[in-house]
């Protein structure tokens, strides 16, 4: 039975419970087909889910955390030697080049081992090889997880080639990134923060531009996701806190996966709130295609009832538009098939 919602969208009785964040067990206790269906449902209804039994060795995560913590503990001038973010490298408070600020410092690295090696000399001057090894081992493990998820999504969506998504991020010239965020401890409440000029925002609201983001953080809360009002509640979109779980991964659909699936899978808005008494450390692998990759809705996702939503574009073209806009900008709107917005228009 299909129940029409107040908003006119069909709600199958199997829809996820209101306001919940799905957890997906990658060990597939109920079989591969069911796992693929669960992943598609999580990405279509939420664009965000928690993953357990993910297969990423705890040792790889611990090594990355140790390398990152050692870097962030260094004196400011030493850290600044790895910056400013251009857009790769070390940054503090300023996010991107268009006036966004957050209560954090961060490292953005290209995921390619050669690029990691060239940055490692300024990040860990004492032992750059140790830093590179920690990053490469971690990136390798999370890329595998991202590929497994993407292949299952391809299967669940019934694509002729279920590897269409994972193929894009596995290319040797893929433009994937690793970002490590460090939100310093502040005993501040949201009220204290606003008195001192802060706004309680660690990382402002945004969607991730790439294909898939794979996040792991320590045991400090702060991440929130904007769950869409699916019409059953009628109270509008809602910011939902994501309880920390350092043993799990959190995965979200990026803008490119929304475009490739013609809007079937949704790129979710998220943010990090800053008022915490302990530092938050997070690492996010942004799985991206090569710069020249052409992003167009896969034919299986374009139907008479669901016409093409976005015009085809390359990742390079999308990146240009993304860097020209503020963090919170809805970048996919610039690429609407019938939209009047112009992707080269740099006013946000
Ligand atoms: C304000 C910005 C920072 C960002 C580039 C942008 O112009 C808009 C997208 C931002 C974002 C969000 C997700 C990732 O953290 C990030 C690395 C990315 O690919 O897009 C950041 C960019 C950044 O910090 O350079
Ligand atoms: O640091 C976090 O937990 C999330 C940050 C984030 O969304 C990002 O870097 O794109
Ligand atoms: Fe993000």
């Amino acid at each position: 039975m299909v129940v029409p919602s107040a908003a006119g969208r069909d709600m199958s009785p199997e829809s996820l419970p209101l306001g919940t964040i799905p957890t997906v067990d990658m060990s597939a206790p109920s079989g591969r087909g069911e796992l693929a269906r669960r992943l598609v449902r999580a990405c279509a209804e939420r664009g965000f889910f928690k993953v357990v039994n993910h297969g990423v060795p705890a040792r790889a995560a611990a090594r990355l955390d140790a390398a990152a913590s050692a870097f962030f503990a260094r004196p400011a001038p030493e850290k600044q030697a790895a910056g400013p973010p251009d857009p790769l490298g070390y940054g503090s408070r300023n996010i991107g080049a268009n006036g966004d600020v957050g209560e954090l410092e961060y490292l953005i690295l290209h995921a390619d081992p050669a690029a990691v090696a060239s940055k490692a000399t300024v990040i860990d001057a004492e032992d750059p090889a140790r830093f590179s090894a920690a990053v490469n081992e971690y990136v390798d493990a999370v890329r595998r997880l991202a590929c497994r998820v993407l292949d299952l999504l391809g299967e669940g969506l019934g694509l002729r080639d279920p590897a269409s998504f994972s193929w894009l991020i596995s290319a040797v010239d893929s433009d994937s990134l690793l970002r490590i965020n460090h939100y310093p401890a502040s005993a501040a409440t949201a009220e204290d923060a606003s008195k001192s000029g802060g706004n309680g925002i660690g990382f402002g609201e945004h969607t991730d531009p790439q294909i898939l983001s794979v996040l792991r953080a320590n045991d400090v809360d702060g991440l929130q996701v904007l769950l869409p009002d699916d019409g059953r509640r009628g109270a509008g979109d809602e910011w939902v806190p994501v309880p920390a779980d350092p043993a799990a991964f959190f995965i979200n659909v990026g803008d490119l996966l929304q475009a490739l699936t013609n809007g079937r899978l949704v790129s979710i808005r998220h943010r990090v709130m800053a008022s915490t008494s302990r530092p938050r450390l997070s690492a996010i692998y942004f799985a991206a295609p090569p710069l020249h990759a052409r992003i167009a809705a896969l034919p299986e996702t374009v139907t008479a009832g669901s016409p093409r939503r976005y015009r085809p574009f390359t990742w390079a073209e999308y990146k240009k538009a993304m860097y020209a806009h503020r963090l919170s900008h809805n970048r996919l709107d610039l690429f609407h098939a019938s939209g009047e917005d112009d992707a080269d228009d740099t006013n946000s």
Side-chain angles (χ1 to χ4, degrees):
M1 187 184 73
V2 168
V3 184
S5 75
R9 259 179 29 212
D10 288 339
M11 300 306 298
S12 115
E14 278 182 60
S15 287
L16 294 165
L18 288 174
T20 57
I21 292 162
T23 296
V24 177
D25 182 343
M26 290 297 288
S27 68
S30 6
R32 190 171 172 95
E34 179 58 18
L35 177 59
R37 274 191 294 280
R38 283 188 188 176
L39 285 169
V40 168
R41 190 168 69 163
C43 290
E45 292 188 23
R46 295 289 185 272
F48 182 86
F49 55 98
K50 173 172 164 170
V51 167
V52 295
N53 292 322
H54 43 68
V56 175
R59 194 197 55 233
R63 277 197 194 138
L64 183 80
D65 286 2
S69 301
F71 172 75
F72 289 123
R74 288 179 194 275
E78 284 181 31
K79 289 187 277 189
Q80 275 148 10
D86 59 357
L88 305 177
Y90 172 75
S92 177
R93 297 210 73 225
N94 295 304
I95 303 173
N98 301 302
D100 291 284
V101 288
E103 294 299 325
L104 83 163
E105 55 179 346
Y106 58 85
L107 268 177
I108 306 182
L109 303 167
H110 197 280
D112 171 58
V116 174
S118 76
K119 272 282 175 199
T121 51
V122 280
I123 293 171
D124 186 352
E126 242 169 59
D127 193 349
R130 175 183 54 193
F131 182 83
S132 293
V135 170
N136 295 338
E137 182 189 18
Y138 185 79
V139 163
D140 223 55
V142 289
R143 188 198 299 109
R144 270 179 233 269
L145 173 59
C147 284
R148 277 182 70 205
V149 168
L150 290 173
D151 284 346
L152 284 155
L153 287 172
E155 285 175 39
L157 288 168
L159 300 185
R160 267 187 290 279
D161 178 4
S164 303
F165 305 134
S166 65
W167 180 85
L168 282 169
I169 72 158
S170 318
V172 279
D173 53 348
S174 118
D175 191 37
S176 301
L177 301 177
L178 181 71
R179 176 177 200 134
I180 309 173
N181 291 328
H182 176 241
Y183 302 85
S186 85
T189 60
E191 198 186 328
D192 292 337
S194 76
K195 274 191 214 140
S196 66
N199 53 10
I201 298 285
F203 201 112
E205 72 170 275
H206 64 283
T207 60
D208 291 341
Q210 293 82 0
I211 291 182
L212 201 73
S213 306
V214 183
L215 177 149
R216 207 192 89 265
N218 66 358
D219 60 349
V220 176
D221 291 338
L223 182 63
Q224 299 187 346
V225 291
L226 188 63
L227 292 190
D229 181 356
D230 60 13
R232 284 179 287 173
R233 208 168 43 91
D237 297 349
E238 182 190 16
W239 282 108
V240 174
V242 178
D245 184 349
F249 278 83
F250 295 91
I251 295 190
N252 62 275
V253 172
D255 297 348
L256 297 192
L257 191 52
Q258 178 166 329
L260 287 163
T261 58
N262 204 27
R264 174 95 192 269
L265 308 185
V266 292
S267 178
I268 194 178
R269 290 179 94 73
H270 53 284
R271 67 182 183 187
V272 177
M273 299 308 285
S275 45
T276 157
S277 56
R278 285 180 303 125
R280 173 178 167 88
L281 186 71
S282 60
I284 309 107
Y285 172 69
F286 297 101
L291 285 171
H292 57 78
R294 184 173 181 272
I295 306 299
L298 295 173
E300 297 89 333
T301 63
V302 182
T303 60
S306 180
R308 184 178 294 281
R309 279 207 201 174
Y310 310 104
R311 69 170 175 80
F313 53 85
T314 63
W315 170 230
E317 205 184 331
Y318 198 77
K319 272 184 94 175
K320 186 174 167 222
M322 132 196 166
Y323 284 123
H325 287 85
R326 298 287 296 258
L327 186 59
S328 62
H329 198 88
N330 190 336
R331 291 168 286 275
L332 270 179
D333 273 356
L334 304 168
F335 293 86
H336 262 298
S338 56
E340 281 158 31
D341 277 327
D342 178 352
D344 284 331
D345 172 8
T346 53
N347 300 319
S348 41

